[in-house]
């Protein structure tokens, strides 16, 4: 895909986010915010036999932070906890698909940080 198509996909996720929902029950939950702008994301999820079975998020913020959360949650449902814990900023850059400067990369990484925080606490139980 070229940059324009990736941008359209981002906007599509921003306008019609996947997994922006409240779950009936959850096994883990975490939230955080970007201190430079105050934008926030909270993610909750269910786990069965080490596999993430559902994710729901809420949050407010810029197109990148909210669209990245939609894309990440869509990608991670059905994956093992270990696979998600192993994701890095390079994986998020690949998922977003367009070059991001350091400030925008922080917007995109907020969701991964929150999801991994929630899973880390879940793993310690
Ligand atoms: Fe706040 Fe992007 S400007 S997370």
């Amino acid at each position: 895909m070229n940059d324009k198509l990736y941008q359209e996909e981002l906007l599509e996720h921003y306008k019609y986010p996947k997994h922006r929902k409240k779950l009936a029950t959850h096994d883990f939950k975490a939230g955080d915010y970007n201190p430079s702008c105050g934008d926030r994301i909270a993610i909750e999820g269910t786990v069965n036999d080490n596999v993430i079975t559902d994710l729901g998020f809420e949050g407010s913020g810029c197109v990148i932070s909210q669209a990245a959360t939609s894309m990440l949650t869509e990608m991670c449902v059905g994956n093992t906890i270990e696979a998600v814990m192993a994701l890095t900023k390079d994986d998020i850059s690949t998922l977003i698909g367009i070059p991001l400067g350091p400030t925008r990369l922080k917007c995109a990484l907020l969701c991964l940080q929150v999801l991994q925080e929630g899973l880390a606490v879940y793993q310690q139980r």
Side-chain angles (χ1 to χ4, degrees):
M1 277 204 281
N2 62 30
D3 282 6
K4 192 166 183 316
L5 287 176
Y6 275 115
Q7 280 166 357
E8 282 172 11
E9 197 189 351
L10 264 182
L11 278 177
E12 197 69 12
H13 275 273
Y14 180 70
K15 282 195 229 162
Y16 309 106
K18 317 278 191 220
H19 295 279
R20 186 185 279 278
K21 62 183 179 181
K22 178 120 191 68
L23 303 185
T25 61
H26 63 266
D27 298 308
F28 69 88
K29 183 167 186 162
D32 213 339
Y33 68 101
N34 182 339
S36 62
C37 62
D39 293 349
R40 62 184 191 88
I41 290 167
I43 301 177
E44 58 184 2
T46 51
V47 176
N48 186 23
D49 209 10
N50 212 39
V51 171
I52 297 171
T53 48
D54 203 2
L55 291 169
F57 84 93
E58 59 178 20
S60 59
C62 66
V63 171
I64 300 278
S65 71
Q66 303 303 300
T69 310
S70 172
M71 295 165 108
L72 180 69
T73 50
E74 185 179 41
M75 182 178 88
C76 290
V77 170
N79 283 351
T80 63
I81 292 176
E82 285 72 21
V84 175
M85 290 303 278
L87 293 174
T88 65
K89 73 176 187 302
D90 290 342
D91 296 309
I92 298 297
S93 294
T94 303
L95 187 66
I96 299 287
I98 51 174
L100 298 174
T103 304
R104 284 324 210 170
L105 189 58
K106 272 195 187 154
C107 303
L109 288 175
L110 182 60
C111 55
L112 181 63
Q113 181 191 318
V114 168
L115 183 53
Q116 290 180 335
E117 277 171 14
L119 289 172
V121 171
Y122 175 82
Q123 282 181 315
Q124 284 162 13
R125 290 191 317 192

